[in-house]
Amino acid sequence: MPRFPKIAAMATAFGILLAGCSAEKHQDQAAQEKSGERMVAPVLTGADARDPFSYARPQEARVTHVALDLTADFAAKRLGGTATLDLQAAPNAKEIVLDSKGLEVASVTNAEGQQLQFAVGQADAERGAPLTVQLNGAKQVRIAYKSAPNAEALQWLTPAQTAGKRQPFLFSQGQPTLNRTWIPTQDSPGVRQTWEARIVVPEPLKVVMSGENLAREGEPVEGGGRAFRFRMDKPVAPYLIAIAAGDIAFQSLGPRSGVYAEPVTIKAAAAELGDTEKMIDAAEALYGPYRWGRYDMIVLPPAFPYGGMENPTLTFLTPTFIAGDKSLNGLVAHELAHSWSGNLVTNAVWADSWLNEGFTSYFENRIMEALYGPERAAQEAALSFAEINTVLTGNGRTSPVTRLHNPEAGTGGESGIVYDKGAAFLRTIEQTVGQERFDAYLRSYFDRHAFEPMTSARFLADLREHLIRGDAALEEKLKLDEWVYRPGLPANAREPQSQGFARVDAAMRAFAGGGPASAVPYAGWTTAERLRFLNGLPRELPQPRLAELDQALRLSQSGNAETLFAWLQLALANRYEPAVPVAERFLLAMGRRKFVAPLFETLMAEGEWGRPIAERIYARARPTYHSVTTGTVDETLKGGA
Ligand code: BES
Ligand code: ZN
């Protein structure tokens, strides 16, 4: 399909820059690979595609390829070596501006090894510092550097902080703007780059990265250690370059999928991930071929700050999704779905992160429906829908934070909006035009825009051109601009309905009206039904009622992190003492921000009762958490919430 000529035709409408690459040159990726040429993705130039979180000026000079040659020093907590960047520069460009944060840059040279002038500018806490290199005609620059020991993307775990307790571990988290703490490049999601890497670690550690693994066992290096090599030949947003190193085992799951984990975790991880291959098939049946080769996952040590991260070819996962019954594997469907929404078509700026996360939440639910049927999917969709109302109630229906396209959201935004209102928007379109028609549209959207950045305006234009096609009545029904640019929830939103939830709501009302906890048929419920129940209970409950619930439903003994979290939120908000040691154990056992931050907030909100508990637990737990998690919790404890 002649993709780029199409873009050239739309260039006036959307301000797309082909950055020095001719249209025909990139038509046929296969021919390109044969000729050894690398695929170069376009950069958008419209005002809505300008990334305020990057110093880069890609219209003048941009990075197209990154080659890393790094050694991991676990004692010094540094990655050090070189990054060699291939560039495309406008004819009059004198310099290239890269992003960097805390990097110690020793030198910059051109391909011939001649020194190039460079300067590291003033740093700010969010973006770091611009690293400006005088090009002197260079098409390639080589930066010799080291990451700082406190690089925010990286967490260096001692053996004690791992599940296996024998070897140290390193992992990175790049999204949204953290990769500049270990890679000097243009760290903007709209500036796609191919990459390769050679990483040296001490024996007996292994390295995995978010690209093709070229030497799974590594190769011995003179002077000690082993070198591992990786390659990503498709242009990706730079936040998707990721690394993990440690005592890592592998188990195959199917012809193109497998799981990496510490040896003590690998069995449970593989069992929980048993449906992965089916998920890939279901995703392909919906939206077209999986374009990244293998789909592997790594289950990280419990300090990993997110549930999952969609690093291409290698999803990163928290071990807290392991419940023993696959009931939390929606997380896997979600990260897999990002292989289309997010990794193939990528938000050009973080103000449009709903294009990644909202599409993915919708897509995740479609995969769950395909694997487990409409009732489980409806329950999970209903839980997601409830999150929208939580945000609308908390902030007011006219609050600007409830807009999907939100230039004031920084790099984040309310997850109830970005994920859940985003998913509800797509579900509303689907139910208005019919599933078959919407599926065909989405499939064509991923094909048309594969390996390209996306903005809200471009998506709406594409939808109007290829789905609405001038149907004024349909346009009126969909309320597209209201969904994307205005706060609140448009009147055409469709609320997901679940029969199971109707029964749960009845049990909830009976208990709230004074009925015994022993009458709640909790043991027979799905995880989603249990969450519906726990989150729907009155927020204020007397101690004896909490004790009754805890005993009858065995809540404090739950091995399911989501239901345990929901219970602890309720219990701590009611100053229920027996939950304190349970919360303490949980907070010391993992560092996932989604669980950690709200529990500390709840404790802090309980003033003279909760604050000393929060401070005592945080003093012990903080050193085990990733910067993503401490960054949030530090504020909570400082502010006194
Ligand atoms: N890409 C996100 C994680 C992320 C978002 C990292 C924004 C940094 C900034 C990932 O796909 C995600 O959404 N993870 C969720 C799980 C999901 C099932 C909602 C999480 O970590 O909880
Ligand atoms: Zn996501």
Side-chain angles (χ1 to χ4, degrees):
M1 191 191 295
R3 204 166 62 237
F4 289 93
K6 185 78 206 294
I7 289 184
M10 303 195 311
T12 30
F14 301 110
I16 295 160
L17 181 86
L18 291 168
C21 61
S22 88
E24 290 82 53
K25 212 157 91 181
H26 304 295
Q27 273 183 28
D28 184 350
Q29 210 191 324
Q32 196 175 38
E33 272 158 21
K34 245 183 250 156
S35 73
E37 243 179 292
R38 292 199 188 97
M39 186 181 172
V40 177
V43 172
L44 307 182
T45 59
D48 61 344
R50 243 210 94 259
D51 180 0
F53 298 97
S54 169
Y55 291 102
R57 302 193 304 262
Q59 294 83 352
E60 294 167 32
R62 63 168 289 202
V63 176
T64 61
H65 182 80
V66 179
L68 299 172
D69 190 347
L70 300 173
T71 297
D73 182 340
F74 282 82
K77 300 189 176 181
R78 288 181 193 270
L79 286 169
T82 59
T84 305
L85 311 179
D86 291 356
L87 317 176
Q88 278 186 347
N92 56 351
K94 300 231 162 11
E95 56 187 35
I96 186 163
V97 185
L98 309 171
D99 295 298
S100 72
K101 201 173 183 187
L103 301 179
E104 287 177 23
V105 179
S107 72
V108 183
T109 58
N110 65 11
E112 287 73 46
Q114 291 158 337
Q115 299 288 330
L116 297 175
Q117 297 280 338
F118 71 93
V120 178
Q122 184 79 41
D124 83 35
E126 176 118 42
R127 290 179 299 172
L131 166 55
T132 306
V133 178
Q134 300 307 316
L135 290 175
N136 220 344
K139 293 275 177 291
Q140 196 179 64
V141 300
R142 175 164 299 165
I143 301 157
Y145 72 102
K146 280 190 177 102
S147 64
N150 62 351
E152 288 159 77
L154 305 177
Q155 190 171 9
W156 300 85
L157 301 173
T158 63
Q161 290 172 274
T162 65
K165 317 271 179 221
R166 305 170 89 96
Q167 297 293 340
F169 202 101
L170 162 70
F171 68 82
S172 69
Q173 166 58 42
Q175 193 183 9
T177 53
L178 304 180
N179 266 351
R180 62 194 67 178
T181 66
W182 70 285
I183 307 174
T185 188
Q186 294 180 318
D187 189 13
S188 178
V191 186
R192 307 180 77 99
Q193 298 152 37
T194 53
W195 61 268
E196 66 195 286
R198 176 179 176 272
I199 309 285
V200 176
V201 293
E203 303 265 13
L205 305 187
K206 293 209 169 89
V207 185
V208 291
M209 286 188 80
S210 53
E212 195 185 343
N213 195 338
L214 299 173
R216 234 193 228 164
E217 297 304 315
E219 292 140 4
V221 172
E222 240 179 275
R226 292 183 92 77
F228 294 78
R229 287 177 303 109
F230 306 89
R231 176 174 64 199
M232 171 51 72
D233 60 8
K234 305 179 176 58
V236 295
Y239 71 84
L240 292 170
I241 307 176
I243 185 169
D247 184 8
I248 298 172
F250 176 78
Q251 187 165 323
S252 173
L253 296 167
R256 52 179 164 170
S257 61
V259 56
Y260 295 93
E262 290 185 68
V264 296
T265 313
I266 194 84
K267 242 184 112 189
E272 206 76 9
L273 294 169
D275 292 345
T276 303
E277 204 66 47
K278 278 187 243 167
M279 286 186 179
I280 305 171
D281 293 342
E284 287 191 312
L286 283 166
Y287 303 132
Y290 177 78
R291 303 191 192 223
W292 305 90
R294 291 191 56 83
Y295 182 74
D296 291 321
M297 293 152 286
I298 179 166
V299 176
L300 290 154
F304 186 60
Y306 289 107
M309 179 63 216
E310 64 270 27
N311 301 129
T313 74
L314 185 66
T315 282
F316 281 25
L317 296 171
T318 172
T320 63
F321 90 102
I322 300 176
D325 59 3
K326 299 183 183 164
S327 67
L328 300 179
N329 68 354
L331 173 69
V332 180
H334 179 97
E335 304 313 335
L336 170 66
H338 273 305
S339 305
W340 288 258
S341 43
N343 298 357
L344 202 53
V345 183
T346 310
N347 54 221
V349 290
W350 300 114
D352 278 328
S353 55
W354 79 274
L355 293 169
N356 279 17
E357 299 300 344
F359 272 64
T360 295
S361 298
Y362 169 78
F363 189 172
E364 163 196 343
N365 198 249
R366 297 295 305 281
I367 297 172
M368 297 307 279
E369 179 176 22
L371 263 80
Y372 307 111
E375 177 60 19
R376 178 168 174 183
Q379 291 186 0
E380 293 180 2
L383 286 181
S384 160
F385 195 87
E387 295 291 322
I388 310 173
N389 285 321
T390 306
V391 179
L392 295 183
T393 310
N395 298 276
R397 297 184 165 258
T398 57
S399 163
V401 307
T402 67
R403 294 170 302 173
L404 285 179
H405 170 75
N406 184 359
E408 280 118 68
T411 57
E414 291 281 345
S415 79
I417 299 303
V418 171
Y419 289 74
D420 304 307
K421 182 181 171 182
F425 176 33
L426 297 195
R427 195 169 300 112
T428 298
I429 305 175
E430 174 214 297
Q431 296 187 359
T432 307
V433 305
Q435 194 172 84
E436 212 176 308
R437 188 167 157 203
F438 190 52
D439 286 355
Y441 165 74
L442 275 184
R443 189 186 167 133
S444 74
Y445 164 84
F446 290 124
D447 281 344
R448 261 191 306 283
H449 301 290
F451 304 108
E452 287 175 17
M454 185 54 61
T455 62
S456 282
R458 269 190 104 199
F459 165 60
L460 290 182
D462 187 86
L463 192 75
R464 289 189 165 109
E465 183 182 348
H466 297 280
L467 184 76
I468 301 179
R469 299 161 159 273
D471 180 341
L474 179 58
E475 172 78 45
E476 169 97 28
K477 254 194 247 163
L478 289 175
K479 303 182 191 295
L480 302 177
D481 292 317
E482 188 183 340
W483 272 98
V484 175
Y485 296 113
R486 297 215 203 114
L489 192 64
N492 65 340
R494 310 277 185 107
E495 184 162 355
Q497 300 297 331
S498 145
Q499 292 174 351
F501 276 16
R503 291 191 295 271
V504 171
D505 291 350
M508 200 157 58
R509 282 191 296 270
F511 178 81
S518 57
V520 178
Y522 191 81
W525 283 346
T526 66
T527 292
E529 287 168 340
R530 293 173 178 188
L531 292 171
R532 170 83 169 196
F533 177 79
L534 294 170
N535 293 329
L537 286 172
R539 292 295 88 185
E540 271 179 44
L541 283 172
Q543 303 289 310
R545 293 293 272 165
L546 290 165
E548 207 190 321
L549 273 178
D550 195 8
Q551 271 132 44
L553 316 183
R554 304 176 54 81
L555 296 171
S556 290
Q557 277 92 281
S558 175
N560 182 304
E562 293 279 357
T563 55
L564 183 64
F565 168 72
W567 159 242
L568 290 174
Q569 282 286 74
L570 177 68
L572 296 177
N574 287 284
R575 306 189 179 190
Y576 178 65
E577 287 284 350
V580 173
V582 182
E584 179 160 9
R585 243 176 288 134
F586 189 51
L587 289 166
L588 286 166
M590 54 86 224
R592 184 174 176 186
R593 183 174 69 175
K594 174 185 153 179
F595 297 144
V596 170
L599 288 172
F600 278 111
E601 264 166 48
T602 300
L603 284 169
M604 290 301 282
E606 294 308 314
E608 81 285 2
W609 180 80
R611 179 194 296 257
I613 301 173
E615 283 168 353
R616 176 171 56 77
I617 298 177
Y618 196 46
R620 288 179 63 199
R622 190 181 188 281
T624 70
Y625 293 158
H626 186 275
S627 77
V628 161
T629 300
T630 58
T632 303
V633 182
D634 283 356
E635 292 304 308
T636 303
L637 267 85
K638 199 165 43 191

